[in-house]
Amino acid sequence: MKETHGTQTVEVVAGRKIVLSSGKGQTNVDDLKWLMSTVLRHAAGWKATGWAYIADCTEMGPVGPNEGGQLVEMTKAFVEAGCKAFGFAEGSSVMLKIQAQKNTQMSHTGVMEGHFATVPEVLDWLQKDIHI
């Protein structure tokens, strides 16, 4: 079941330990805090076995510095909660890819990350290469 708050939507991928979020437009810190707590709630039972997170950014605009800081904190929290890989669906946006890579680097977590055009490509990567 999808949950929505402001610019963000969260759902669990059926039959897999993957949480998928989709953003639309220009997100803000409040929406990202909701996103973080909602994803962590959905993934709480998977800490011991590991899980993956997909961010569908294909309909999002680039984020500002405040949102970038919140994304770094979110990355750290997800890794501490057992997230093994982050997959980003970014369409053809080079800016979103650069921002996502920078946020992951700034988190200093070393989490696996993949960048793709579409969510189905991310799902395929997580199944074939990450085994989630």
Side-chain angles (χ1 to χ4, degrees):
M1 182 171 98
K2 287 185 182 182
E3 294 180 62
T4 300
H5 177 87
T7 60
Q8 300 293 323
T9 300
V10 173
E11 64 185 301
V12 174
V13 176
R16 297 179 67 185
K17 294 177 183 178
I18 300 171
V19 181
L20 166 66
S21 73
S22 302
K24 287 191 178 191
Q26 195 65 43
T27 197
N28 59 54
V29 171
D30 289 336
D31 289 352
L32 293 175
K33 287 180 179 179
W34 174 86
L35 173 65
M36 182 171 78
S37 66
T38 304
V39 170
L40 290 171
R41 179 172 41 85
H42 282 292
W46 301 330
K47 183 173 183 173
T49 58
W51 56 283
Y53 171 67
I54 299 174
D56 181 356
C57 306
T58 56
E59 295 185 40
M60 282 185 64
V63 298
N66 290 337
E67 291 79 16
Q70 183 62 41
L71 291 170
V72 171
E73 292 304 312
M74 187 169 73
T75 301
K76 290 177 183 178
F78 288 4
V79 172
E80 288 173 11
C83 184
K84 303 294 182 198
F86 281 62
F88 297 94
E90 299 149 337
S92 60
S93 175
V94 174
M95 176 59 87
L96 289 173
K97 180 177 181 177
I98 290 169
Q99 281 191 327
Q101 288 173 327
K102 182 178 178 184
N103 292 335
T104 303
Q105 288 170 352
M106 290 173 56
S107 75
H108 302 290
T109 60
V111 69
M112 292 282 299
E113 108 183 71
H115 299 268
F116 303 89
T118 67
V119 170
E121 290 172 331
V122 179
L123 289 167
D124 188 52
W125 169 70
L126 287 170
Q127 184 173 29
K128 288 181 179 177
D129 295 350
I130 311 299
H131 308 290
I132 294 179

